[in-house]
Amino acid sequence: MSRALPEGFVLGSATASYQVEGAAREDGRGPSIWDTFSHTPGRVWNGDTGDVACDHYHRFDQDLDLMAELGLQAYRFSVAWPRIQPTGRGEANTAGLDFYDRLVDGLLERGIRPVSTLYHWDLPQALEDAGGWPARDTASAFADYAAIMGKRLGDRVSTWTTLNEPWCSAYLGYASGAHAPGRTEHAAALAAVHHLNLGHGLALQALRSEVSGDPDYSVTLNFHVLRGEDDAVRQIDGLANRVFLQPMLEGGYPTDVIEDTASVTDWSFVRDGDAEAIHQPIDVLGVNYYSTTAVRLWDGRSERLTADGHKGAAASPWPGAERVEFPPQPGPYTEMGWNIEPAGLTELLLDLHRRYPDLPLMITENGAAFADEVVPDASQPGALAVHDEKRVAYVRDHVGAVLDAVDAGADVRGYFVWSLLDNFEWGYGYSKRFGIVRVDYETLERIPKDSALWFADLGRTRRLD
Ligand code: FCB
């Protein structure tokens, strides 16, 4: 049965600065923790780095044309903080600001809405050297950077997102060490959680005081949709979801999370006034969803299962949760080993809607990595094609899952596919391809895959078949 997209429902695509831009040492950009991490042997598969990535920094005009050809209504990009402040503090670097200025103008000229994320994991290395997110000063530095961006682009950006997936920044960056900066200190990871939350609140205040337009304000979280036993679900829901949602949307930390992690930290990094600083109004909540997570209480004897979907590393990303294990789930799976379960997205949206009935939701990331094959394009001699039926099915089924949630009452405003381009997939380097557009990493040529053509059709017909 064919179904209409809701009126005003936005279709867009997403990327992130370090994953696509390249030009790592150009125009005054300082090093970020991902430059350091990816250049450290053994950290990223195949020794891949973001030095060149998709070279979007130089090819953005062509990429904008491509988005326009695909009829995308919005583009979610992130700003590389070290392009704006090479050491994370002080004077803004004009060349860095100019780049995002051109990007935003280029989007607007093509009728594409700019949705800007301030932090998608590329912390200036100098701030990490001063302690990183476990240090309180990083939150105020982040607010200063937000003010610079608000001042420069605040007349044109339509949505400002403070953080992308602070869960990953805190726990993969500082607990498991699977992501930059690669630290494995559980107490520091919880301090990072708090300072990311604080940075979010301070950045919203800074943006609101600088921005001259009337944008939406937002944050994007990666929710863990949990399957399993009650107490394991409660504990992981606390560490994964509620430790961000509650301070940002209600004020204050969940007491069970503080109790569960009492052996790791006493939370004395939370100061008077922080709860109010973090709890700032937002207009829309960004939801990233890929798969579900199974949990249960570990018996303490058998080998502890760790199939939580996050890249294996020296330590666990879950502070204080030693008694919980993560059993593998039934397939089918994507190339990331993530199980495909669109119903989890419907469930998540309805759950968020029940909890925060007045808060509009936006899918800011959803998509799939598969091993694509490039073949001659039968319809155009000399051209190449990628028939990525599995990705088409994944995106179709997840857009359908969003429509199911809308039918059941959830207020969902749009869907951004991850990603526009194949790109640097963090610890997996270039081995995992999420793009609806293929990138040939030798020639940097772009080839729209069948999923891109399908997505363009969805935008044209506004009907899901
Ligand atoms: C999310 C990240 C994004 C991308 C996808 C696959 O966790 O926000 O940058 O790597 O996963």
Side-chain angles (χ1 to χ4, degrees):
M1 193 191 56
S2 150
R3 307 161 82 183
L5 298 182
E7 173 104 23
F9 189 88
V10 173
L11 292 179
S13 71
T15 64
S17 47
Y18 191 73
Q19 295 182 277
V20 299
E21 285 180 0
R25 279 175 285 275
E26 271 175 66
D27 293 341
R29 178 185 177 282
S32 79
I33 54 175
W34 271 97
D35 294 285
T36 310
F37 191 75
S38 65
H39 280 272
T40 307
R43 291 300 204 174
V44 174
W45 281 16
N46 195 37
D48 289 341
T49 74
D51 286 2
V52 177
C54 308
D55 197 32
H56 175 72
Y57 188 78
H58 297 119
R59 293 165 198 251
F60 73 92
D61 243 336
Q62 174 198 332
D63 290 337
L64 293 176
D65 285 343
L66 190 55
M67 288 182 229
E69 278 160 35
L70 297 175
L72 300 182
Q73 296 171 282
Y75 177 50
R76 174 177 181 255
F77 62 95
S78 79
V79 176
W81 185 353
R83 281 197 199 284
I84 306 302
Q85 291 173 297
T87 61
R89 294 183 196 281
E91 283 300 290
N93 168 36
T94 314
L97 283 171
D98 290 348
F99 170 69
Y100 296 104
D101 209 77
R102 291 195 299 272
L103 180 70
V104 166
D105 283 345
L107 287 165
L108 293 174
E109 278 159 24
R110 291 165 179 87
I112 303 170
R113 283 192 218 174
V115 172
S116 161
T117 301
L118 288 176
Y119 187 71
H120 200 129
W121 309 353
D122 38 4
L123 186 72
Q125 180 62 44
L127 290 183
E128 175 55 32
D129 296 342
W133 285 109
R136 188 175 176 92
D137 283 354
T138 302
S140 49
F142 182 59
D144 294 344
Y145 151 63
I148 295 173
M149 294 314 299
K151 193 169 193 162
R152 181 65 184 261
L153 299 181
D155 54 338
R156 285 160 289 157
V157 161
S158 62
T159 305
W160 288 100
T161 304
T162 54
L163 306 171
N164 174 71
E165 302 192 351
W167 186 93
C168 294
S169 304
Y171 297 118
L172 298 181
Y174 295 96
S176 80
H179 279 188
R183 286 164 58 181
T184 52
E185 303 155 43
H186 280 187
L190 292 169
V193 165
H194 178 59
H195 297 134
L196 284 153
N197 281 330
L198 184 60
H200 158 81
L202 297 177
L204 284 176
Q205 296 177 46
L207 284 169
R208 283 196 163 99
S209 70
E210 293 296 340
V211 156
S212 59
D214 183 24
D216 281 345
Y217 295 99
S218 184
V219 63
T220 282
L221 302 178
N222 56 315
F223 294 96
H224 284 69
V225 176
L226 301 166
R227 305 272 180 258
E229 293 166 0
D230 284 356
D231 206 46
V233 167
R234 180 201 57 74
Q235 185 170 356
I236 298 304
D237 178 47
L239 273 181
N241 305 325
R242 289 182 287 115
V243 83
F244 300 104
L245 274 179
Q246 192 165 315
M248 288 179 179
L249 299 180
E250 300 169 43
Y253 284 99
T255 44
D256 64 324
V257 173
I258 293 178
E259 284 161 17
D260 288 341
T261 54
S263 64
V264 180
T265 176
D266 60 6
W267 290 75
S268 55
F269 41 75
V270 180
R271 299 202 188 150
D272 282 355
D274 285 359
E276 294 71 27
I278 297 168
H279 182 205
Q280 300 295 317
I282 57 169
D283 302 297
V284 56
L285 176 63
V287 174
N288 288 0
Y289 174 85
Y290 292 91
S291 64
T292 59
T293 306
V295 292
R296 71 176 173 222
L297 294 176
W298 178 44
D299 65 12
R301 291 185 303 276
S302 46
E303 197 191 337
R304 185 167 165 268
L305 301 171
T306 57
D308 60 7
H310 304 293
K311 188 166 177 277
S316 162
W318 303 101
E322 291 72 23
R323 61 189 199 120
V324 177
E325 67 173 350
F326 299 81
Q329 299 177 82
Y333 307 101
T334 68
E335 192 68 10
M336 296 293 281
W338 296 344
N339 64 306
I340 302 176
E341 198 180 334
L345 178 54
T346 313
E347 214 178 287
L348 169 63
L349 294 170
L350 289 174
D351 193 47
L352 288 168
H353 179 65
R354 255 190 307 274
R355 203 158 162 179
Y356 306 106
D358 300 325
L359 186 59
L361 306 170
M362 178 73 96
I363 310 304
T364 40
E365 282 182 31
N366 173 251
F370 288 110
D372 297 321
E373 202 192 334
V374 183
V375 296
D377 184 346
S379 61
Q380 271 187 72
L384 297 170
V386 177
H387 302 307
D388 55 340
E389 306 85 9
K390 286 187 186 160
R391 187 173 292 103
V392 171
Y394 182 100
V395 175
R396 178 195 289 123
D397 292 349
H398 284 79
V399 173
V402 174
L403 298 186
D404 289 345
V406 171
D407 288 346
D411 181 2
V412 190
R413 302 288 171 93
Y415 175 98
F416 288 77
V417 65
W418 183 269
S419 175
L420 175 70
L421 303 169
D422 288 339
N423 60 47
F424 176 81
E425 179 46 37
W426 308 114
Y428 300 95
Y430 296 101
S431 68
K432 308 289 180 194
R433 292 177 177 271
F434 274 92
I436 56 171
V437 174
R438 165 104 185 171
V439 175
D440 177 325
Y441 293 118
E442 298 291 312
T443 62
L444 295 167
E445 188 194 352
R446 279 70 164 141
I447 307 167
K449 304 179 191 177
D450 284 1
S451 53
L453 308 178
W454 178 87
F455 202 62
D457 265 349
L458 177 67
R460 242 186 320 272
T461 62
R462 310 266 318 156
R463 295 198 74 84
L464 186 70
D465 289 316

